[in-house]
Amino acid sequence: MNRIILIGNGFDLAHGLGTKYTNFIDDFWMTKLNTFIDSLKNNSLTRVPDYDTPNYDTFIYTDNDISIYVKDYQHIFQSAEIVEAETGFQTFCNFISHFRPNAHQRNCKFNNLFLGQISGKYQLEKWVDIEEEYYSALLNCLENKKNITKLNKDFKRIQILLQIYLSKQIEKKISLNKNIEKNMYLPLLQADFIEDINENKLDKVFFLNFNYTSTIKLYSDCRKDVKTINIHGQINNPSNPIVFGYGDEMDDNYKRIEKENNDFLQHVKSFMYSRTNNYKELLAFINSDVYQVYTMGLSCSTSDRTLLSTLFEHEHCKSIKIFYYNRTSSENDYLDIYMNISRSFKNKEKMRKLVVSFENSIPLTD
């Protein structure tokens, strides 16, 4: 029997990489704040005649993402302080508010509208939340006849910024976790299966890496009968570009989207998978023999439901084992992942047979 190990962002986090969405967006806004401050120091803002008054001048800082209107900044800059808030975006907004031309109006305008949509929503914590936010914006374009070309351009900009950020993260030195390695290559356990297994010999291991990083190479290099597919692509690899979008063709609204022009399908994962042979290699593997699925750091959300449904409901899938994350000494994410997995099943009875119980599951890391 083979084993397919699904590698998600929690796997990178377990190795000390700052790859959470909140890490990225906080870093983005603190970097943007420093860039704005440099513009103030260098007097590189542009004067805005429309705001001219006898009392003060108004200037503008602008780039691909935002525009900031400021008043009399040379005087105010001397006393303005950076006060760290709960998020990088709040810290940024608090600082630029010192320079508002009108005390009762915000002085930041988003040139990237999708960036504005996600920056102000503090409940967004995971990359999948951003993908689902994009899908929500896509439906909004459909229902309200909004500019889909602008949305796609803005979303593409987020992809570029993500790759820039992750390029810095992968420079960090990381180490192999012996406990994770041991669990990856454990013999097959009868307790993980409803059906009897004739032997506990593990044949081949297939890593399906949903991350854009290469942390998994610590566990796969120099091993026989191990294959890795970076199904969502890799940063800075034109031969395997990143896949960032939405992958739930089972959603009720998807049929409506399909009836629109191709711009509405530009960031649907199924179409992005066609750029490489990764998906076909995955299909060849699951068709070759029976297998068990491990989930390590993957939330199994609806953003990847089309692919996960193919894996989970395949006749060769005989077990799904969740390696959960302990949030506290008394709280973990096992049930959250289980419930997410359930959304990829049409046959709920089969799901209950395949998913290994919490009692027989173990955390990803101690």
Side-chain angles (χ1 to χ4, degrees):
M1 182 180 291
N2 297 329
R3 177 174 292 152
I4 300 176
I5 304 180
L6 310 183
I7 301 296
N9 190 43
F11 188 83
D12 275 353
L13 296 175
H15 289 81
L17 295 181
T19 53
K20 291 193 297 186
Y21 164 72
T22 49
N23 296 143
F24 159 74
I25 200 67
D26 281 344
D27 178 82
F28 171 85
W29 283 112
M30 294 310 295
T31 300
K32 189 70 73 178
L33 176 57
N34 290 329
T35 302
F36 174 63
I37 290 174
D38 287 342
S39 296
L40 297 179
K41 291 179 178 177
N42 298 329
N43 295 319
S44 58
L45 278 66
T46 303
R47 191 168 182 273
V48 185
D50 292 348
Y51 284 85
D52 190 20
T53 72
N55 298 321
Y56 58 76
D57 291 329
T58 299
F59 298 82
I60 186 171
Y61 164 90
T62 189
D63 60 27
N64 290 328
D65 306 308
I66 59 172
S67 294
I68 308 170
Y69 293 91
V70 304
K71 72 172 183 180
D72 196 18
Y73 67 90
Q74 292 176 328
H75 171 70
I76 297 175
F77 184 50
Q78 298 175 15
S79 59
E81 295 183 2
I82 300 175
V83 179
E84 190 170 339
E86 185 177 352
T87 69
F89 180 57
Q90 288 175 316
T91 302
F92 175 84
C93 290
N94 290 345
F95 182 79
I96 68 170
S97 67
H98 293 296
F99 304 91
R100 289 179 295 185
N102 187 319
H104 304 292
Q105 292 180 343
R106 291 182 59 181
N107 58 328
C108 181
K109 171 189 172 185
F110 282 94
N111 302 323
N112 184 322
L113 300 181
F114 186 72
L115 175 65
Q117 182 175 332
I118 62 176
S119 292
K121 295 188 175 181
Y122 305 125
Q123 76 276 15
L124 303 180
E125 296 181 352
K126 302 175 182 178
W127 289 110
V128 63
D129 295 334
I130 310 308
E131 292 179 321
E132 291 178 351
E133 198 68 25
Y134 169 74
Y135 189 65
S136 175
L138 199 67
L139 293 175
N140 189 31
C141 286
L142 178 66
E143 293 169 357
N144 298 305
K145 306 300 180 185
K146 291 192 175 180
N147 190 338
I148 182 61
T149 303
K150 170 63 174 168
L151 172 62
N152 285 337
K153 180 182 178 182
D154 289 351
F155 188 67
K156 184 66 176 179
R157 168 70 176 162
I158 300 298
Q159 292 184 23
I160 294 170
L161 294 171
L162 168 61
Q163 292 193 72
I164 294 172
Y165 174 76
L166 291 180
S167 295
K168 300 174 185 176
Q169 290 299 307
I170 60 175
E171 294 175 357
K172 296 180 179 178
K173 186 176 180 180
I174 56 176
S175 302
L176 179 145
N177 184 303
K178 290 288 187 182
N179 189 55
I180 291 177
E181 182 183 43
K182 180 192 72 175
N183 290 331
M184 285 175 167
Y185 298 102
L186 280 175
L188 299 169
L189 304 174
Q190 180 61 62
D192 291 349
F193 299 84
I194 294 294
E195 301 174 0
D196 290 335
I197 54 176
N198 297 326
E199 55 179 307
N200 64 355
K201 180 178 179 296
L202 179 62
D203 295 322
K204 297 177 181 179
V205 174
F206 186 104
F207 289 110
L208 191 63
N209 185 23
F210 286 78
N211 297 333
Y212 307 121
T213 61
S214 300
T215 309
I216 191 58
K217 292 181 67 176
L218 289 171
Y219 302 87
S220 59
D221 282 2
C222 303
R223 278 187 174 269
K224 296 180 179 180
D225 296 324
V226 172
K227 184 175 182 62
T228 301
I229 290 292
N230 298 294
I231 193 66
H232 278 178
Q234 297 168 286
I235 54 174
N236 306 322
N237 183 358
S239 298
N240 191 15
I242 71 168
V243 174
F244 189 48
Y246 204 76
D248 185 8
E249 295 166 30
M250 300 165 67
D251 182 76
D252 293 338
N253 288 305
Y254 185 76
K255 291 293 183 184
R256 297 170 56 206
I257 291 175
E258 275 192 319
K259 295 178 181 178
E260 298 299 316
N261 65 60
N262 288 348
D263 287 342
F264 281 83
L265 303 176
Q266 191 173 121
H267 294 292
V268 173
K269 290 179 180 178
S270 292
F271 298 106
M272 288 188 280
Y273 290 145
S274 67
R275 296 179 295 191
T276 68
N277 289 324
N278 290 337
Y279 200 87
K280 289 185 177 179
E281 290 185 40
L282 169 63
L283 293 179
F285 187 84
I286 67 177
N287 287 328
S288 66
D289 197 1
V290 292
Y291 57 86
Q292 179 183 36
V293 174
Y294 276 8
T295 72
M296 290 189 162
L298 188 72
S299 64
C300 299
S301 68
T302 55
S303 185
D304 291 300
R305 184 159 63 166
T306 302
L307 186 154
L308 295 177
S309 179
T310 300
L311 278 178
F312 296 156
E313 294 206 291
H314 196 284
E315 61 180 351
H316 283 170
C317 183
K318 300 301 180 182
S319 169
I320 302 171
K321 188 163 187 171
I322 298 169
F323 286 79
Y324 56 87
Y325 167 66
N326 280 321
R327 298 189 181 108
T328 66
S329 59
S330 59
E331 184 182 358
N332 61 71
D333 65 354
Y334 172 87
L335 279 180
D336 286 335
I337 297 173
Y338 192 171
M339 288 184 282
N340 288 342
I341 288 173
S342 75
R343 296 185 177 97
S344 295
F345 275 92
K346 293 179 181 177
N347 186 338
K348 304 301 184 184
E349 181 180 355
K350 181 177 182 180
M351 173 200 71
R352 287 186 284 271
K353 290 179 180 179
L354 295 185
V355 178
V356 176
S357 68
F358 175 73
E359 184 177 353
N360 290 330
S361 301
I362 52 180
L364 178 61
T365 57
D366 291 331

